[in-house]
Amino acid sequence: MMKVANRLHSVEEYYFSKKLKEVNALKASGKPIINLGIGSPDLQPSSQVVAALTAGLLDVNAHKYQSYQGLPEFRQAISEFYKKQYQTQINPETEVLPLMGSKEGIMHISMAFLNEGDNVLIPNPGYPTYAAVTKLVQANPIAYNLDESNNWLPNLDEIETLDLSKVKLMWISYPHMPTGAKAKKADLKKLVDFAKKHDILLVNDNPYSFILNNNPLSILNVEGAKDVCLELNSLSKTFNMAGWRIGMVLGSPEHINAILKVKSNMDSGMFYGIQKGAIAALNSPQEWFDSLNTVYTTRRKLVWQLADKLNCTYDKEASGLFVWAKAPEGYKSETFIDTLLHDKSLFITPGTVFGTQGEGYVRFSLCATVEQIEEAIARV
């Protein structure tokens, strides 16, 4: 049998890919599993978005190869969205690149800027893909610890005690996944100044801005941020379009052009109809955001009740698509979630998926119906 590339030995199969096999096997055996582990929106996109996609299917150009940079009107819609929602000026010609989901942007950015042996600052806890992709491109992930006492923000004084001479890239994500912690503009300004001081490319992964958050922020709104920053964003969570795979990366023309060199060698452009649907989504009225958050507010209150019954504690000021909670005293994260899975047929995510700093925590998803969450409460 052909040996796999050495880089595959540096990573494992994604946690949810493995764990869902176990969950699905339990379902197949007749267990009535309630899944509060995955952040995949169960709500539908708006009818206007679906109509725009449907109409796009009939366009004479719909089935041709599309531009690597996306439709000009799509980039314009992104620019206008950033101006309206984040008060941030983005040049649609040079400062934005559509992506087939922001997750691919993590790989594109890493391939564009990292050489073998470079170091990358990775949040702990944080999205596991940052470290996995870093290893795949043969760079070195250097974890920086976040903790509840500092509202899950980077301790820059502590980070500066590290040898930063080989650090090329730093990942952040605010509003933070998995904890839901929010950064203020002053916090983002400190991070931009830190990146400038140490000549580090700072990337903010920002897909949760509009879920249970009244103050959406972009790091690109900080003066001078484009010199050292990129921002990833996505339509997956805000517009219930996770399976459509629509994201974007924004930053200076120099940074965007570097990423385009990678992307243009890896795909041949996003499907026309999906781009038309994305434009409609980005032009959604305020009522869309309000109605979405009404649903999530109701669900979150119920998840808080569930967490209370499980003797978990949590921060009511956190935002996003999840409730991050401390497990009961004496429980390790994976022991606690496995007990719930096998005794109560309830799946939630252990905090250790997101790093060692997640030990003792669990994550509840809000991507379940009121009836499902109420059933979960009844079971415990």
Side-chain angles (χ1 to χ4, degrees):
M1 179 178 174
M2 180 65 68
K3 291 183 179 179
V4 300
N6 289 337
R7 68 177 61 87
L8 285 190
H9 299 305
S10 69
V11 296
E12 297 181 357
E13 184 182 359
Y14 193 49
Y15 172 82
F16 289 114
S17 175
K18 292 189 295 183
K19 194 66 177 181
L20 287 178
K21 293 175 186 175
E22 179 185 349
V23 171
N24 290 333
L26 289 170
K27 281 185 177 180
S29 72
K31 290 279 191 179
I33 304 294
I34 296 174
N35 187 341
L36 296 181
I38 308 298
S40 177
D42 60 309
L43 301 169
Q44 298 296 302
S46 73
S47 57
Q48 293 91 336
V49 169
V50 175
L53 166 66
T54 305
L57 296 174
L58 302 178
D59 191 282
V60 295
N61 294 311
H63 307 291
K64 297 179 179 179
Y65 285 121
Q66 300 300 314
S67 166
Y68 297 109
Q69 296 170 278
L71 295 170
E73 56 265 40
F74 181 22
R75 297 196 308 274
Q76 183 66 39
I78 294 169
S79 174
E80 291 172 358
F81 181 82
Y82 258 71
K83 182 177 180 180
K84 179 180 179 181
Q85 302 293 349
Y86 295 113
Q87 295 76 54
T88 300
Q89 298 289 336
I90 299 294
N91 185 321
E93 297 297 323
T94 61
E95 294 184 336
V96 60
L97 180 64
L99 303 169
M100 294 179 188
S102 60
K103 190 174 185 178
E104 78 157 15
I106 298 171
M107 176 60 84
H108 291 344
I109 291 167
S110 298
M111 292 183 71
F113 294 102
L114 295 176
N115 293 313
E116 181 178 352
D118 285 340
N119 290 344
V120 180
L121 292 172
I122 307 283
N124 177 17
Y127 188 32
T129 298
Y130 305 144
V133 167
T134 298
K135 293 175 184 176
L136 284 171
V137 300
Q138 299 179 293
N140 305 311
I142 308 296
Y144 64 90
N145 289 342
L146 309 176
D147 62 66
E148 193 170 359
S149 66
N150 195 38
N151 191 35
W152 306 102
L153 291 165
N155 183 331
L156 295 179
D157 291 336
E158 188 175 277
I159 294 173
E160 288 198 310
T161 65
L162 303 174
D163 179 4
L164 301 177
S165 60
K166 294 180 68 177
V167 172
K168 189 84 169 287
L169 193 64
M170 179 177 182
W171 291 99
I172 61 172
S173 176
Y174 292 100
H176 185 246
M177 201 295 292
T179 69
K182 292 172 281 190
K184 298 176 182 176
K185 188 172 180 180
D187 300 318
L188 298 178
K189 175 67 164 60
K190 289 177 183 177
L191 284 160
V192 171
D193 291 343
F194 170 83
K196 288 185 176 182
K197 178 180 178 181
H198 296 285
D199 194 23
I200 293 170
L201 180 61
L202 181 66
V203 188
N204 186 39
D205 192 8
N206 190 16
Y208 295 98
S209 291
F210 299 94
I211 307 297
L212 299 172
N213 179 27
N214 293 324
N215 186 30
L217 288 175
S218 166
I219 198 166
L220 299 180
N221 185 254
V222 174
E223 186 177 356
K226 289 177 186 176
D227 296 337
V228 292
C229 295
L230 289 166
E231 182 155 281
L232 286 171
N233 216 322
S234 167
L235 275 62
S236 294
K237 317 299 183 182
T238 304
F239 299 103
N240 303 327
M241 297 163 72
W244 292 46
R245 309 312 304 137
I246 308 168
M248 62 206 77
V249 59
L250 308 101
S252 72
E254 294 77 16
H255 291 147
I256 294 299
N257 283 335
I259 299 165
L260 179 60
K261 283 186 180 180
V262 174
K263 180 175 170 58
S264 62
N265 282 289
M266 296 184 71
D267 66 59
S268 297
M270 188 184 301
F271 179 59
Y272 179 89
I274 287 178
Q275 293 188 68
K276 300 299 280 190
I279 293 167
L282 290 166
N283 288 317
S284 296
Q286 183 59 40
E287 288 76 16
W288 167 259
F289 303 95
D290 294 341
S291 63
L292 189 69
N293 282 312
T294 296
V295 172
Y296 284 132
T297 296
T298 300
R299 292 179 177 187
R300 184 171 64 175
K301 287 178 180 177
L302 288 170
V303 168
W304 286 345
Q305 290 182 35
L306 175 61
D308 289 340
K309 282 187 170 289
L310 291 168
N311 295 315
C312 296
T313 56
Y314 48 87
D315 178 11
K316 287 191 173 183
E317 298 302 314
S319 65
L321 206 56
F322 309 101
V323 171
W324 177 256
K326 187 171 287 187
E329 188 73 27
Y331 273 99
K332 288 192 173 292
S333 299
E334 295 199 31
T335 302
F336 184 63
I337 74 107
D338 281 339
T339 299
L340 286 178
L341 179 60
H342 293 284
D343 292 353
K344 305 295 183 183
S345 294
L346 174 61
F347 175 52
I348 60 176
T349 302
T352 46
V353 170
F354 308 104
T356 57
Q357 288 291 98
E359 181 59 84
Y361 292 87
V362 295
R363 191 190 74 173
F364 299 83
S365 170
L366 303 182
C367 298
T369 65
V370 165
E371 292 74 20
Q372 289 171 319
I373 304 171
E374 287 176 338
E375 171 60 22
I377 293 169
R379 289 184 189 179
V380 300

